[in-house]
Amino acid sequence: MNMKVLGIKIIKVTAVFAVLIFSILMLKTISQYTSFDKNIGFLAFKQQVVGNPYWMAFFYIHIFSITLCLLAGLTQFSNRFLVENRDLHKIIGKIYVYNILIINVPACFVLGLFSNGGLIGITGFLIQDALWAYFTIAAVLFIKKGNINRHRTYMILSYAVTTTAITFRIVKHLLYNETQHDYELFYGLNVWAALLINLTIAYVILKKNCLLTGKIQTRKENIDTNK
């Protein structure tokens, strides 16, 4: 097996396990909100809006559905899973798309308007939300046209935005120090950092896939020529 191909597979497997582990950890974090206590976890920092029933409704809708979105997205990038489970792939893909477009994009738009991090954080969240909707809709439109490669590209970009929640928490746990950093400023910058990190990773993956596809196609053409 080509070392570059092996390297890409290792990166993909590592990424899948990382998302799976952090999804499980997020489930543990989310479980604390099943008590509907307004003074726990993240809500302790949002006391100015916890009295707003609309904000609270969107908050609970978002946190209780986002993990399903993360897990559903994991299955969409395995070629083996796609080949062996085409119908299931379509079903899970629809769950992922409906979850984002009908549930989470509207919910995150409202939550983003009241985001921590001041104008930096609010702007970052709203741009994330817009990109999330755009990438997901583009993925749907391209698969309807039968363009699998473009569909896959936009699904990867969509999932990159989906997993910003994980990257955000990783950066916060690794770098945030309450005695050295201003919470609001750090929070706002972290929103942008998570988005840029994930889109950069998505770009690298797409570029690697493009180069790999090109080499495979070139080999096939050379074999056909020599026949």
Side-chain angles (χ1 to χ4, degrees):
M1 180 182 290
N2 185 288
M3 290 303 295
K4 289 186 177 181
V5 175
L6 178 61
I8 292 173
K9 287 190 174 182
I10 291 174
I11 291 172
K12 286 182 177 180
V13 171
T14 302
V16 167
F17 275 107
V19 173
L20 183 59
I21 290 171
F22 279 102
S23 294
I24 293 172
L25 292 175
M26 282 187 69
L27 271 175
K28 183 179 179 181
T29 300
I30 289 170
S31 65
Q32 68 182 314
Y33 297 111
T34 56
S35 66
F36 295 99
D37 185 340
K38 296 181 179 180
N39 295 294
I40 59 172
F42 176 74
L43 294 178
F45 299 94
K46 304 295 294 183
Q47 291 301 299
Q48 72 275 22
V49 290
V50 293
N52 185 322
Y54 299 106
W55 188 92
M56 289 298 296
F58 282 116
F59 172 77
Y60 285 122
I61 287 171
H62 171 60
I63 63 169
F64 291 141
S65 64
I66 190 62
T67 303
L68 176 62
C69 198
L70 286 166
L71 295 176
L74 276 178
T75 66
Q76 301 302 293
F77 305 106
S78 168
N79 291 329
R80 182 174 179 180
F81 181 87
L82 174 59
V83 171
E84 297 178 356
N85 306 275
R86 294 186 69 85
D87 291 338
L88 185 57
H89 169 81
K90 291 179 181 179
I91 293 171
I92 295 176
K94 288 179 179 179
I95 291 173
Y96 175 83
V97 168
Y98 291 148
N99 190 321
I100 291 174
L101 298 181
I102 297 177
I103 299 175
N104 274 289
V105 165
C108 289
F109 176 77
V110 173
L111 296 176
L113 292 175
F114 298 92
S115 167
N116 292 334
L119 185 59
I120 296 175
I122 292 172
T123 305
F125 271 121
L126 293 180
I127 288 177
Q128 275 190 22
D129 203 43
L131 288 175
W132 208 12
Y134 172 72
F135 292 149
T136 307
I137 291 171
V140 173
L141 293 177
F142 276 116
I143 198 60
K144 285 184 177 295
K145 294 178 180 178
N147 192 329
I148 296 175
N149 288 333
R150 296 289 283 175
H151 166 72
R152 186 179 180 85
T153 293
Y154 279 99
M155 280 297 287
I156 289 173
L157 290 170
S158 171
Y159 198 62
V161 180
T162 300
T163 52
T164 53
I166 293 175
T167 307
F168 180 92
R169 284 161 179 78
I170 293 174
V171 172
K172 180 181 177 182
H173 287 303
L174 289 178
L175 301 179
Y176 179 67
N177 186 321
E178 61 181 9
T179 62
Q180 298 180 2
H181 299 123
D182 176 86
Y183 177 77
E184 286 292 307
L185 179 60
F186 184 91
Y187 192 101
L189 293 176
N190 194 9
V191 172
W192 284 93
L195 179 62
L196 292 175
I197 289 170
N198 281 24
L199 290 181
T200 299
I201 293 173
Y203 172 78
V204 171
I205 291 173
L206 291 171
K207 192 171 182 61
K208 290 283 186 181
N209 285 343
C210 183
L211 290 173
L212 182 60
T213 301
K215 288 181 179 180
I216 292 174
Q217 185 62 36
T218 300
R219 288 174 184 172
K220 286 182 178 179
E221 290 175 355
N222 289 336
I223 291 173
D224 292 338
T225 302
N226 294 327
K227 285 182 178 179

